[in-house]
Amino acid sequence: IPAAGCAPAARFQVDPYGFERPANFDYTSYEDFFSRYLVILTRRAIKWAKLLKGNRGVPKSLKVKRYIRKGIPNEHRALVWMVVSGAQSHMEQNPGYYQKLLEGDKNEKLVDTIKTDMNRTFPDNVRFRKTADPCLQKTLYNVLVAYGHHNQSVGYCQGMNFIAGYLILITRNEEESFWLLDALIGRILPDYYSPEMMGLKTDQEVLGELVKMKVPAVAELMEKHGIMWTLLVSRWFICLFIDILPVETVLRIWDCLFYEGSKIIFRVALTLIKHHQAFILEATNFPDICDRFKEITKGPFVTECHTFMQKIFTEPGSLRMATIEKLRETCRANLIAQT
């Protein structure tokens, strides 16, 4: 539970994960939320301890799915993410592989690109500063260089640094972070980070189609102003809500992402749009729409991660993977036809 460091952290203006609080951070309402959330965290921690007692496995079951949706306590997060994503079995089947990647020949261009992004990764996190001891920049560099050589069709692209950074903060383990990054990029997010980013472009179009079905008034507003979804939501997909939603909320989303797959991203996006439909519809021009899409990712609705996570499974209504796969097929074909 991150709570142990939480109350004092507020006074030092740094959260339990090392991120500096912004100058305008509302401590009063956050502490009000966290005191309530702490009760939930404590209850969940007891249940998880029982579930995992004497058993390293996390079997796929309705009970486990329910537990994950209600949040994985931070002390179990790395273990559960590793097991449910398949990263653990990949790591066990490939002993020494990560080390070999680090020791092997390097692509200089790839290495230089990654080096350039090091100082741009979480400048607001004290653990990624050069002055930190240990400084997580070196760990991040290793994970990204190893992954770029492991998956050469992807190499490295911006966004991966933030995702790997979060994985390192949670696992505190370089090799586990590498295998979780592999689970996300190789299996959970279809073709998001390849040079053409076809999977990413496809899923943004899929979101547009889902909005047409579930929040038609917002879809009409977008069409009226000729706005492409990519201009509003590309960072939601590329960064998996990092730097968009509060840290604790992002981690709760990732709990479900590792277990249930990419469908969760659509649930979160649809919830944000549907819940704020009236606010979005007040917009009268393109800059106004952009501002409103930034606004809907702030405030108590997203900070109160426990109720927000309940909302993502109710507010968008039914969302079957079969529907998403069908939409992906159509949207992908349309995108290919346009190139």
Side-chain angles (χ1 to χ4, degrees):
I1 304 169
C6 207
R11 284 177 215 121
F12 297 118
Q13 317 248 314
V14 172
D15 78 6
Y17 303 98
F19 290 98
E20 288 178 334
R21 305 269 195 214
N24 61 352
F25 187 77
D26 184 348
Y27 288 102
T28 312
S29 63
Y30 182 78
E31 282 176 9
D32 171 52
F33 149 69
F34 207 87
S35 61
R36 283 179 282 116
Y37 187 44
L38 189 52
V39 177
I40 296 163
L41 280 176
T42 309
R43 196 168 63 232
R44 300 312 311 158
I46 293 162
K47 295 202 171 211
W48 273 97
K50 273 187 196 156
L51 180 77
L52 296 170
K53 199 174 180 188
N55 177 16
R56 275 190 64 81
V58 187
K60 284 242 171 193
S61 70
L62 282 173
K63 182 183 182 179
V64 169
K65 185 181 188 177
R66 195 174 70 246
Y67 271 37
I68 288 173
R69 285 183 173 190
K70 288 181 179 180
I72 305 166
N74 216 31
E75 67 266 34
H76 300 309
R77 224 170 218 140
L79 165 72
V80 177
W81 284 4
M82 285 293 289
V83 174
V84 301
S85 66
Q88 186 69 35
S89 61
H90 276 76
M91 184 169 83
E92 286 167 6
Q93 284 158 22
N94 295 281
Y97 177 69
Y98 176 70
Q99 212 46 47
K100 271 198 203 97
L101 287 170
L102 289 180
E103 289 160 8
D105 293 337
K106 304 286 185 299
N107 173 331
E108 285 309 313
K109 195 176 168 207
L110 176 81
V111 166
D112 288 345
T113 313
I114 291 169
K115 274 184 184 160
T116 308
D117 265 4
M118 281 299 104
N119 288 329
R120 298 183 200 154
T121 308
F122 300 134
D124 59 339
N125 190 301
V126 295
R127 295 177 198 169
F128 282 92
R129 299 224 173 112
K130 287 207 169 97
T131 50
D133 184 27
C135 169
L136 293 183
Q137 275 196 19
K138 177 67 182 152
T139 311
L140 178 64
Y141 169 81
N142 284 350
V143 170
L144 292 172
V145 166
Y147 191 77
H149 290 88
H150 160 70
N151 186 345
Q152 291 180 21
S153 65
V154 167
Y156 170 75
C157 100
Q158 279 188 332
M160 286 165 60
N161 50 330
F162 295 109
I163 290 169
Y166 257 51
L167 294 172
I168 290 162
L169 286 171
I170 294 304
T171 62
R172 302 179 183 197
N173 181 301
E174 201 174 297
E175 189 176 2
E176 286 182 5
S177 298
F178 166 81
W179 288 108
L180 282 169
L181 189 65
D182 181 52
L184 279 170
I185 295 173
R187 298 188 294 283
I188 295 169
L189 306 171
D191 204 13
Y192 272 30
Y193 300 94
S194 61
E196 295 80 33
M197 291 184 151
M198 187 51 87
L200 177 75
K201 291 173 187 167
T202 302
D203 277 4
Q204 289 170 176
E205 295 302 312
V206 169
L207 177 62
E209 292 302 313
L210 290 169
V211 172
K212 270 183 206 167
M213 291 154 63
K214 293 179 179 287
V215 206
V218 171
E220 280 166 32
L221 178 77
M222 298 283 287
E223 268 174 46
K224 181 182 160 191
H225 292 281
I227 301 169
M228 292 163 69
W229 279 102
T230 183
L231 298 170
L232 300 174
V233 300
S234 62
R235 282 184 65 241
W236 295 8
F237 286 89
I238 292 173
C239 296
L240 301 177
F241 300 102
I242 292 173
D243 274 355
I244 289 151
L245 297 176
V247 182
E248 198 62 50
T249 309
V250 174
L251 295 172
R252 288 288 302 269
I253 292 165
W254 284 25
D255 289 347
C256 298
L257 181 66
F258 279 116
Y259 189 78
E260 298 184 49
S262 56
K263 183 165 77 167
I264 294 301
I265 301 170
F266 296 109
R267 283 202 166 280
V268 174
L270 286 167
T271 302
L272 289 169
I273 294 163
K274 194 173 179 186
H275 186 82
H276 297 97
Q277 177 174 200
F279 175 69
I280 294 167
L281 292 174
E282 287 167 8
T284 52
N285 55 43
F286 174 53
D288 197 8
I289 293 169
C290 290
D291 287 344
R292 282 168 194 265
F293 265 79
K294 286 196 185 92
E295 280 304 308
I296 66 174
T297 60
K298 300 184 179 105
F301 181 64
V302 293
T303 302
E304 306 230 351
C305 55
H306 199 65
T307 44
F308 179 75
M309 291 307 289
Q310 289 168 339
K311 282 273 194 293
I312 77 163
F313 293 108
T314 53
E315 199 138 333
S318 163
L319 189 62
R320 292 172 60 236
M321 202 62 207
T323 310
I324 290 169
E325 290 302 355
K326 212 170 172 182
L327 287 170
R328 275 178 175 157
E329 246 172 77
T330 319
C331 292
R332 193 182 174 87
N334 291 343
L335 284 164
I336 291 166
Q338 286 164 24
T339 51

